[in-house]
Amino acid sequence: NFGYVDSGSLFVPPAFLGAAALGGALVGAGFAVGGYCPGTSVVGLMSGRIDAAIFLLGLLIGTVIFAGIYPNIEFLTSLGEYTNADTLTDAFHISGLTIDMGMVVAAIGVFILGSWMERKAKGLVKHPS
């Protein structure tokens, strides 16, 4: 039997934009510095890559440290709470098209920044002649 769910009986948790931004920046920085995400680091480890093993070890140590200090930083999990908004359009009172355009501009900006950083890194590496 397929029925309908009354939308009033559903719980939508509040958005914590500050906490999401902080967590995303920290996790993203870890992935960028390490050059792996958790899944690819496991594949790298199984392929015999020592850098992947070091990344995974750091990931595990970081997780243990986070679990140990969590009671002291738990207040950060509700940073930037928007209790009256279920979407970004509601939170910022702008159209969905504006949000979409902002995401496209951000993606292009990240691509340009990444390309620039790659060119700078290649310029710093001296290739043997």
Side-chain angles (χ1 to χ4, degrees), residues 6-121:
D6 178 30
S7 63
S9 66
L10 297 175
F11 171 72
V12 177
F16 299 108
L17 300 180
L22 178 61
L26 291 172
V27 169
F31 290 179
V33 169
Y36 288 102
C37 68
T40 57
S41 66
V42 171
V43 172
L45 175 68
M46 294 301 121
S47 300
R49 304 241 356 161
I50 297 198
D51 59 336
I54 293 169
F55 179 86
L56 270 174
L57 182 62
L59 183 94
L60 292 173
I61 291 170
T63 301
V64 169
I65 291 171
F66 176 80
I69 66 170
Y70 181 77
N72 297 323
I73 62 169
E74 184 177 4
F75 68 95
L76 293 174
T77 62
S78 61
L79 189 65
E81 180 178 1
Y82 275 86
T83 55
N84 60 349
D86 294 332
T87 65
L88 290 175
T89 56
D90 292 341
F92 297 120
H93 305 290
I94 55 178
S95 71
L97 180 61
T98 304
I99 296 287
D100 293 343
M101 288 174 18
M103 294 293 184
V104 168
V105 168
I108 291 170
V110 167
F111 177 76
I112 291 170
L113 178 65
S115 297
W116 176 80
M117 291 174 69
E118 183 180 20
R119 285 192 308 275
K120 291 294 272 185

